[in-house]
Amino acid sequence: MAKPKHTLFTVARAPGHRGRGVLRGHGIAFPVALGRAGIAANKREGDGGTPRGRFRLLRLWWRGDRMPRPRTALPLRRIERDDAWCEDASDRRYNHPVRLAPGTPGDRLWRDDHLYDLIIELGHNTRPRISGRGSAVFIHLAREGFLPTAGCVALRSDDLRRLLPRLRKNAVIEIR
């Protein structure tokens, strides 16, 4: 039997809850928070939808000042104070990580809350990258009360930590 080309995880909406779902795969099932607009087939910047589709898990970003290096096969990048994400659809760096000087506005990855202590970067709107079709779509930590996200997939801290060792460089997430 041929070895699978990738490890597949799926996210599906929970019945009766637009902003909640379940992540399944590799012997696990975890509740997740989704975007406030639910799963969107036609994702747009700022619409609050979690994009429908199949996406590669590109790398794990983590706050090294708050925790040790996580165990995962994904490529790793430590979050620094000036790390941010370009969400400006008119900028040539749209949907890419950027460095921002102190006081410059932008979606900073270094946050006072713990939502971005662990971030899995998804390959959404990367090849080709289309201006206005959504940026900064991550898997990250959920808010208290499992409140909806701005368009990401969010897990409880313990669940995300249990997921990380199961991820491979060829892991894929399908959001349906």
Side-chain angles (χ1 to χ4, degrees), residues 4 15 39 44 47 58 68 84 87 92 123 125 128 137 149 155 162 164 169 176:
I39 296 174
R44 295 281 182 200
D47 67 0
L58 301 178
E87 295 181 323
R92 65 177 176 76
N125 194 23
V137 177
T149 69
L155 287 87
R162 285 181 53 207
L164 290 177
K169 291 181 183 176
R176 338 179 158 156

Side-chain angles (χ1 to χ4, degrees), residues 21 30 99 131:
F30 297 129
R99 302 276 183 166
S131 182

Side-chain angles (χ1 to χ4, degrees), residues 60-115:
L60 174 70
W61 298 69
W62 97 100
R63 283 283 299 264
D65 62 314
R66 291 185 173 166
M67 66 185 68
R69 181 184 175 114
R71 286 186 22 192
T72 186
L74 290 176
L76 286 161
R77 181 161 168 189
R78 186 180 172 132
I79 297 171
E80 302 296 337
R81 288 186 182 274
D82 59 351
D83 282 326
W85 209 266
C86 182
E87 295 181 323
D88 180 353
S90 66
D91 191 311
R92 65 177 176 76
R93 302 170 301 169
Y94 177 66
N95 198 28
H96 279 280
V98 293
R99 302 276 183 166
L100 293 180
T104 306
D107 185 20
R108 296 192 178 269
L109 303 185
W110 185 282
R111 296 171 57 127
D112 291 334
D113 63 21
H114 292 274
L115 295 184

